[in-house]
Amino acid sequence: MVFIAILIGCVIGALLGMNAPIIPYSLSGYLAISIVAALDSVFGGIASVVKGDFDLKIFVTGFFGNAILSILLTYLGERLNVDIYLAAIVVFVGRMFVNLAIVRRYYVDKWTNKIKSMKVQKEENKEKNEE
Amino acid sequence: MKSKKKQIAITLGIMCLLLVYAIFTQLKTTQNLASTAGSTYRENGLRDEVLKWKEQYDRIYADLENAEEQLEKERQVSISYDDTSVQKQEELKKINTYLGLTDVEGEGIIITLRDNTTSLISSANNLVHDGDLRAVVNELKNNGAEAISINDQRIVPTTAITCAGTVIQVNDEIVGSPFVIKAIGDKNMINNVMRSGGWLDLLTDYGISVEVKKSDNIKINKYNGVLTDKYIETIE
């Protein structure tokens, strides 16, 4: 059910996005940084699902909060003539890698355990047969 | 429990929709600019700057157009009770049309000049020069053309057609081949313009592709610059 909803959301979003009017160039920088922030939240959400402490409220607030905060910071940086968005990108992309590493470890552990247990079972079966 | 799962599914679906929507819009925006990334950081920065200025210019120009519309409306309202001001208004409109400050349409001819790209010998004769455009415009005026534009740059009293290195500037805006010269006037002037020994005939001899056609309905846009009166004064 959840996966179907996500899939439908992606498809509708893609269709709408393809037919949407283009945004002004000066705003596209803000949109880009908010996309990175939102992607970071998504990977954070996947990692928390793997860890088993996923909370929808925290996920949603993080998704929108991060996006808005990053836009505000980028705007502030533009006013102050400091490239604050670089810091935001470093943080978000760094976190993405950390979260991906968590997911990867989880699945690698899971599969190695599975293979091990299968081997153990096979040996047990063999021993039984020899008896 | 089930309703909660439904809630989660819907929330995640909406969020995915937003995210993918944003990504696609961004992709389209960056694609539309067709900005092949420059070789240096500085070049990219400059390109960025130019695009931003251009956008600002467009916005301000739209504002100006709105303001002009508003002014026109105000004028209409203020003169609607007075006969003499109605007459004045008509006069003003006519003068603006003469000056090239309004969009106009009518019968006339369209001349298209293209650089000669088939010639194997690379020579300055293969190209359309600023002088050629000046000569053609002059000839059109001589034949009674009432409104002329080159690549949508309206010819007004202050228009200069100049050579700027590899490009031609009309009204300080860059124009390039193919040059589409629209002229509103008697469409039979085509015979005069195309006469043998005329400038277009000469250009054809040089191998430049010249295409002339009559049309009953040509639209010419107004001049979008500013006519100044800093130095001229009317003698009463």
Side-chain angles (χ1 to χ4, degrees):
Chain A
M1 173 123 180
V2 175
F3 281 105
I4 293 171
I6 289 174
L7 209 67
I8 290 174
C10 285
V11 169
I12 294 176
L15 286 178
L16 283 179
M18 273 191 253
N19 296 315
I22 61 162
I23 57 163
Y25 181 73
S26 53
L27 295 184
S28 76
Y30 298 114
L31 184 60
I33 195 80
S34 64
I35 287 172
V36 174
L39 272 179
D40 167 57
S41 294
V42 168
F43 282 114
I46 294 171
S48 64
V49 166
V50 166
K51 275 195 268 176
D53 57 357
F54 178 77
D55 186 341
L56 189 66
K57 273 179 221 147
I58 290 175
F59 180 56
V60 172
T61 48
F63 185 87
F64 291 107
N66 275 352
I68 293 167
L69 186 67
S70 63
I71 289 174
L72 289 179
L73 278 178
T74 310
Y75 179 72
L76 181 71
E78 199 142 290
R79 293 282 109 177
L80 297 178
N81 198 17
V82 185
D83 291 342
I84 291 183
Y85 70 91
L86 289 178
I89 286 177
V90 169
V91 170
F92 288 139
V93 176
R95 274 220 309 245
M96 262 188 232
F97 278 112
V98 170
N99 286 329
L100 274 180
I102 289 172
V103 175
R104 193 191 66 226
R105 259 160 227 265
Y106 173 80
Y107 280 108
V108 169
D109 278 352
K110 205 174 162 187
W111 281 330
T112 38
N113 282 343
K114 224 182 205 174
I115 292 168
K116 243 185 217 164
S117 66
M118 269 165 71
K119 265 185 190 163
V120 170
Q121 231 170 28
K122 253 187 199 166
E123 272 166 26
E124 274 175 5
N125 284 348
K126 249 187 201 169
E127 278 168 19
K128 263 185 197 167
N129 286 344
E130 278 166 12
E131 275 171 15
Chain B
M1 192 63 209
K2 201 164 183 192
S3 72
K4 205 176 171 195
K5 218 171 179 188
K6 209 173 181 178
Q7 206 184 342
I8 291 176
I10 290 172
T11 325
L12 288 182
I14 291 172
M15 280 160 64
C16 276
L17 191 151
L18 281 177
L19 185 58
V20 176
Y21 176 80
I23 290 172
F24 268 80
T25 317
Q26 178 74 357
L27 277 180
K28 232 174 109 176
T29 306
T30 46
Q31 227 167 39
N32 192 276
L33 296 168
S35 56
T36 43
S39 51
T40 62
Y41 183 71
R42 186 170 160 68
E43 200 180 322
N44 278 335
L46 287 173
R47 202 191 298 266
D48 211 59
E49 195 92 336
V50 168
L51 281 169
K52 275 182 187 160
W53 277 113
K54 204 168 167 211
E55 197 183 293
Q56 209 165 337
Y57 170 80
D58 284 347
R59 212 163 31 218
I60 289 172
Y61 190 69
D63 279 353
L64 177 71
E65 251 172 14
N66 275 342
E68 262 172 13
E69 228 165 72
Q70 195 75 22
L71 181 68
E72 184 66 23
K73 255 185 220 157
E74 295 284 332
R75 239 185 240 152
Q76 292 286 0
V77 171
S78 67
I79 62 159
S80 54
Y81 305 108
D82 193 350
D83 262 359
T84 52
S85 29
V86 170
Q87 230 167 12
K88 283 249 167 67
Q89 177 69 11
E90 289 291 310
E91 217 167 285
L92 197 62
K93 230 182 207 171
K94 228 175 201 174
I95 289 169
N96 274 340
T97 314
Y98 293 149
L99 282 175
L101 300 179
T102 54
D103 293 347
V104 290
E105 59 179 355
E107 66 166 63
I109 62 173
I110 299 175
I111 302 173
T112 310
L113 303 178
R114 275 195 189 80
D115 289 345
N116 179 6
T117 48
T118 52
S119 168
L120 295 173
I121 309 157
S122 133
S123 143
N125 287 342
N126 294 335
L127 304 176
V128 177
H129 291 275
D130 52 323
D132 299 329
L133 292 184
R134 274 198 298 270
V136 171
V137 168
N138 209 19
E139 219 160 290
L140 287 170
K141 280 182 175 172
N142 195 22
N143 282 299
E146 289 168 354
I148 303 170
S149 76
I150 300 176
N151 286 10
D152 282 334
Q153 286 300 322
R154 182 72 171 268
I155 306 294
V156 292
T158 56
T159 296
I161 300 172
T162 51
C163 177
T166 54
V167 294
I168 296 175
Q169 286 190 327
V170 179
N171 289 339
D172 288 334
E173 295 278 341
I174 292 168
V175 296
S177 173
F179 300 95
V180 179
I181 305 172
K182 296 184 194 166
I184 293 179
D186 182 3
K187 60 184 169 185
N188 290 322
M189 71 176 149
I190 197 167
N191 302 323
N192 267 327
V193 177
M194 292 284 280
R195 73 184 187 278
S196 69
W199 202 273
L200 291 182
D201 192 41
L202 209 70
L203 286 178
T204 319
D205 280 351
Y206 280 129
I208 284 166
S209 135
V210 178
E211 203 179 294
V212 188
K213 62 173 185 220
K214 288 187 205 178
S215 172
D216 283 323
N217 188 16
I218 296 177
K219 240 192 107 183
I220 294 185
N221 291 336
K222 67 180 178 195
Y223 174 56
N224 50 21
V226 180
L227 294 171
T228 60
D229 56 351
K230 217 163 127 192
Y231 300 104
I232 49 173
E233 274 169 36
T234 321
I235 299 170
E236 296 286 335

